[in-house]
Amino acid sequence: MNILILNGPNLNMLGKREPGIYGSESFEQIMEELRAAFPSHSLHYFQSNHEGAIIDRLQQCLTDGTQGLVANMGAFTHYSYAILDALRLLSIPKVEVHLSHIFAREAFRHTSVISPACDGMISGLGKYGYQAAIAWLLQVQQKSTEH
Ligand code: DQA
């Protein structure tokens, strides 16, 4: 399966950024683990600190063969209606992931404006959230080929 893992602002700082909340590993290390866990699938990774670049990458999914999306939109989660609209363009399965437990943090993090455009959300499981999201995407694809 062709899966895009899309990370938003400040997630390029993982390992350096508030390690007590986000862990001490870089996302490159996490990607290595994900590729090792799902060796027969194509896991593509894109990170940007820029809303427009994220929207461009989402629009590309319409034509580049992406079959599933795992999206951690960082702080854009809480206010970007433009990313919500871009997610709504895509009919592939989409999972929203947050490393931290956003509902146990500051009030502004309790709202996700992008959730309505995703099939589900995983929050608070750290890097394992990405693994769980990919495992779910794979079983959705498997089910769709059974019929
Ligand atoms: C985050 C949670 C957001 O509130 C925050 O702005 C992030 C990371 C997470 O993965 O826990 O940048 O999406």
Side-chain angles (χ1 to χ4, degrees):
M1 186 175 190
N2 244 327
I3 295 174
L4 175 65
I5 297 166
L6 186 58
N7 276 347
N10 298 308
L11 290 162
N12 56 324
M13 288 290 127
L14 282 190
K16 301 187 179 95
R17 174 191 184 197
E18 300 181 273
I21 296 175
Y22 297 115
S24 52
E25 279 174 278
S26 68
F27 203 78
E28 285 64 31
Q29 287 171 294
I30 294 172
M31 269 312 294
E32 259 179 51
E33 282 182 27
L34 291 174
R35 291 203 167 102
F38 301 99
S40 50
H41 298 278
S42 297
L43 304 184
H44 304 277
Y45 173 54
F46 183 79
Q47 186 277 334
S48 180
N49 295 323
H50 305 280
E51 191 177 26
I54 289 169
I55 293 164
D56 289 344
R57 187 64 191 88
L58 285 167
Q59 291 181 2
Q60 244 183 56
C61 291
L62 288 171
T63 53
D64 70 0
T66 301
Q67 295 168 300
L69 179 74
V70 179
N72 183 347
M73 294 295 88
F76 286 145
T77 302
H78 312 302
Y79 65 91
S80 177
Y81 299 112
I83 290 176
L84 167 70
D85 286 347
L87 286 165
R88 281 204 164 123
L89 268 175
L90 304 178
S91 53
I92 55 174
K94 288 158 274 181
V95 186
E96 175 182 356
V97 168
H98 299 286
L99 292 153
S100 65
H101 185 1
I102 58 172
F103 301 103
R105 299 183 63 196
E106 303 98 310
F108 77 87
R109 296 186 205 275
H110 299 180
T111 300
S112 167
V113 302
I114 66 161
S115 279
C118 296
D119 295 287
M121 179 212 270
I122 299 167
S123 171
L125 304 188
K127 64 181 179 182
Y128 299 106
Y130 288 88
Q131 286 214 16
I134 294 167
W136 182 79
L137 290 172
L138 295 178
Q139 73 88 39
V140 168
Q141 196 207 31
Q142 202 191 330
K143 271 196 183 154
S144 75
T145 56
E146 279 167 13
H147 300 293

